[in-house]
Amino acid sequence: DEVNLRATERGALHTMEISRVWTAKGYGYQAMSTAAVASLIVRPTTTAIVSFYNNTSTKNFVIERVFAHELVSIANGQMGIWICVHPVGAIAQDTPTNDITPRNSTSGEPAGVEGLWDIEATVVADGWFPWGTNTTSVTATVPGSLAEANINGRIIIPPTAGISLSAVSQTAVVTVCMGIHWFSVPISEFTLG
């Protein structure tokens, strides 16, 4: 296909960040859990703090970022985000529920109902990996420490696949709420290369 490019007088190409385009098209959404769950003190296995499954047949969920908010911490406590991507067909394998959770659009559109959001679900351990950097709390029992993993589209959840999040810290006293920012992109618009 031919592509038209524009450049400045000195030859710099004009580019547009795809996340801004998708936000303008109304594809951007966020969801998070509201109940704080105890973080793990070991690598996650079959229990996730939150899981999110693609229940559409015509869209890919392109993950922009995942985040965690510490509700309770300890002085100088550290917490990190772990992610497990579940393959196509996982929606039948894990049988997620759709727990009520805050959702919103990142473009002022209605919140939408796509995706199954499951809190504290039992999942298949399809491979957990740490993402982002650890966050360190300053004082004990004070909420507010945040951790964020900027995925920037490096994880894509096709129809019937899923993603799970967990948090690992040095003590289960640390409790977290977790969430995801994603783009629901029609497969017809989604091309590689």
Side-chain angles (χ1 to χ4, degrees):
D1 294 333
E2 288 187 18
V3 177
N4 294 319
L5 298 177
R6 291 178 50 196
T8 65
E9 289 180 15
R10 297 183 183 265
L13 293 177
H14 290 282
T15 60
M16 183 172 284
E17 187 179 337
I18 193 66
S19 62
R20 290 183 184 171
V21 173
W22 287 343
T23 298
K25 288 185 172 190
Y27 297 166
Y29 297 95
Q30 298 181 108
M32 71 176 290
S33 61
T34 55
V37 175
S39 64
L40 300 175
I41 55 172
V42 295
R43 181 186 175 108
T45 56
T46 59
T47 301
I49 291 179
V50 296
S51 298
F52 184 57
Y53 295 85
N54 185 341
N55 63 345
T56 74
S57 61
T58 60
K59 296 183 179 177
N60 285 323
F61 292 171
V62 180
I63 308 303
E64 179 72 1
R65 68 186 181 103
V66 299
F67 49 91
H69 169 253
E70 286 184 328
L71 193 62
V72 174
S73 188
I74 60 171
N76 300 312
Q78 292 190 355
M79 180 268 300
I81 294 172
W82 285 67
I83 298 174
C84 179
V85 176
H86 305 292
V88 169
I91 202 167
Q93 158 186 290
D94 294 339
T95 60
T97 60
N98 196 23
D99 298 323
I100 297 171
T101 189
R103 296 181 189 224
N104 75 356
S105 162
T106 60
S107 63
E109 298 294 325
V113 295
E114 293 176 343
L116 299 176
W117 186 265
D118 205 350
I119 299 171
E120 292 188 88
T122 299
V123 298
V124 173
D126 291 308
W128 288 90
F129 296 92
W131 279 76
T133 57
N134 281 354
T135 183
T136 302
S137 58
V138 178
T139 59
T141 69
V142 176
S145 294
L146 301 171
E148 179 179 53
N150 288 306
I151 308 301
N152 300 322
R154 292 180 303 225
I155 295 176
I156 298 169
I157 308 301
T160 75
I163 182 172
S164 290
L165 310 180
S166 195
V168 175
S169 67
Q170 72 266 43
T171 173
V173 170
V174 174
T175 62
V176 296
C177 300
M178 301 191 80
I180 299 175
H181 172 203
W182 77 96
F183 296 102
S184 180
V185 182
I187 293 171
S188 61
E189 276 189 43
F190 198 87
T191 59
L192 298 175

